[in-house]
Amino acid sequence: MTKKRERLYLIDGNSYVYRAFHAIRHLANSKGFPTNAVYGFTAMLMKIVREEKPDYLAVAFDSKGPTTRHTYYPQYKATRPPMPEGLVPQVPIIWDLVRAFRIPVLQQQGIEADDLLAAATREGLGHHLDVVLVSGDKDLLQLVSPHVSVLDTMKEQRWTPEQVEKRYGIPPGELVEMMALMGDATDNVPGVRGVGEKTALELVKQFGTLEELYARLGEVKGEARKKVLEAGRDGAFLSRRLVTLDPDVAVTIDLEALRPREPDAAAALAIFREMEFAKFVRELTP
């Protein structure tokens, strides 16, 4: 009988902090302190611990300051607006909550959380684990494989290779080619001007890679489309470099340290009472 593989859950902290903030509106305690992001993040965290019962668990966060991508593209993420005013005071509370739940944090100066997630995924696969990336960020779908899935708890969707191919019509490994062509306005990834998801998918389905597309550019239908692609050649290759996650970043993951531990109930309850989360107080109280 084949031994069941243990599961490593990796939470995309930044994704969930922002999604919780925008998904839940006008939530504050009696003192007027905003609590929507803390509430949403807590709900996700407790759902994962309670329902998924991970064998290993960690949460990844970005660090402040420039990243390795800024060294070759200084405009990377330059158009992102500053953190919303109502979210700023909630971030330290979320960090306190993660500490109270004794969940290890993956964070390293100059390395984006997505790359840390990719590195931890590589590490998990090397130890014959199934990896579940908890995120709503489509950039992480490129990591999906037979033993790697992406779980979006807000939409209750689990992305497997079959689900990715059903949605996009291409395997997970080719998503970076699509993203390279269409770009990403949120992160100021240029892509090819005028190429959206539909066109990008058509091209990837036909050619597979940027190298093949540009080697056979004469086969592309429509003179206007050929000109657009030719003009955007450099942007496409730069964009692929920007959107491709790096599993080989210099970081060491101590898997045994990621074994779930009992939370510091007193610390967690103190946060829940301060935030006036009666539901979570009840769930954590014997």
Side-chain angles (χ1 to χ4, degrees):
M1 185 175 177
T2 305
K3 184 181 177 182
K4 187 178 179 182
R5 292 168 70 112
E6 290 188 307
R7 296 175 301 161
L8 165 62
Y9 280 71
L10 299 168
I11 297 171
D12 181 357
N14 293 85
S15 167
Y16 266 93
V17 166
Y18 273 87
R19 291 181 82 207
F21 178 79
H22 290 294
I24 306 170
R25 294 290 188 177
H26 312 302
L27 191 65
N29 65 10
S30 59
K31 298 175 184 176
F33 185 90
T35 60
N36 53 336
V38 181
Y39 186 92
F41 191 89
T42 303
M44 176 275 300
L45 201 57
M46 294 186 74
K47 181 182 177 76
I48 292 297
V49 172
R50 182 179 63 248
E51 297 181 11
E52 298 290 324
K53 296 180 174 58
D55 298 296
Y56 302 89
L57 177 65
V59 57
F61 285 105
D62 287 328
S63 57
K64 291 183 179 179
T67 69
T68 50
R69 288 174 176 82
H70 287 94
T71 61
Y72 57 87
Y73 188 58
Q75 304 97 312
Y76 181 58
K77 293 189 176 181
T79 53
R80 278 200 172 185
M83 183 179 289
E85 187 177 328
L87 178 55
V88 173
Q90 296 187 68
V91 172
I93 307 297
I94 290 169
W95 273 86
D96 288 343
L97 185 74
V98 171
R99 280 189 285 267
F101 273 81
R102 294 184 169 133
I103 297 173
V105 171
L106 307 179
Q107 186 182 50
Q108 191 161 319
Q109 192 63 43
I111 298 177
E112 291 184 70
D114 284 0
D115 293 317
L116 294 174
L117 291 169
T121 296
R122 178 207 66 206
E123 194 87 358
L125 291 174
H127 285 81
H128 307 290
L129 304 177
D130 282 338
V131 181
V132 181
L133 297 155
V134 184
S135 178
D137 186 352
K138 73 177 189 304
D139 290 355
L140 292 176
L141 295 181
Q142 64 187 269
L143 299 176
V144 170
S145 71
H147 290 289
V148 180
S149 61
V150 173
L151 174 62
D152 185 342
T153 59
M154 286 191 175
K155 294 183 178 178
E156 296 189 346
Q157 167 133 32
R158 196 179 298 265
W159 293 93
T160 62
E162 294 76 21
Q163 290 297 323
V164 171
E165 192 138 10
K166 182 179 178 181
R167 162 63 179 84
Y168 293 100
I170 57 176
E174 291 183 1
L175 288 176
V176 291
E177 312 292 338
M178 177 195 78
M179 292 188 287
L181 289 166
M182 61 185 287
D184 184 348
T186 303
D187 289 343
N188 201 33
V189 175
V192 175
R193 186 182 295 273
V195 173
E197 182 179 301
K198 182 181 177 182
T199 299
L201 279 173
E202 287 177 4
L203 293 168
V204 174
K205 286 175 186 176
Q206 183 178 356
F207 298 101
T209 64
L210 293 185
E211 286 82 1
E212 194 68 14
L213 166 62
Y214 282 102
R216 297 162 52 195
L217 196 58
E219 297 176 31
V220 173
K221 295 178 181 178
E223 289 304 313
R225 182 176 288 187
K226 286 177 190 173
K227 288 180 181 178
V228 163
L229 289 168
E230 185 55 57
R233 181 192 294 255
D234 291 344
F237 281 96
L238 168 64
S239 297
R240 187 174 64 180
R241 189 179 177 193
L242 290 169
V243 302
T244 300
L245 302 184
D246 184 5
D248 298 318
V249 290
V251 60
T252 301
I253 308 295
D254 179 3
L255 275 177
E256 280 309 308
L258 307 190
R259 289 278 189 187
R261 300 162 61 196
E262 284 296 316
D264 181 340
L269 285 169
I271 295 170
F272 293 162
R273 290 182 176 124
E274 178 66 22
M275 297 291 101
E276 298 173 7
F277 295 160
K279 175 179 183 289
F280 298 140
V281 169
R282 289 193 300 270
E283 288 186 21
L284 208 60
T285 305

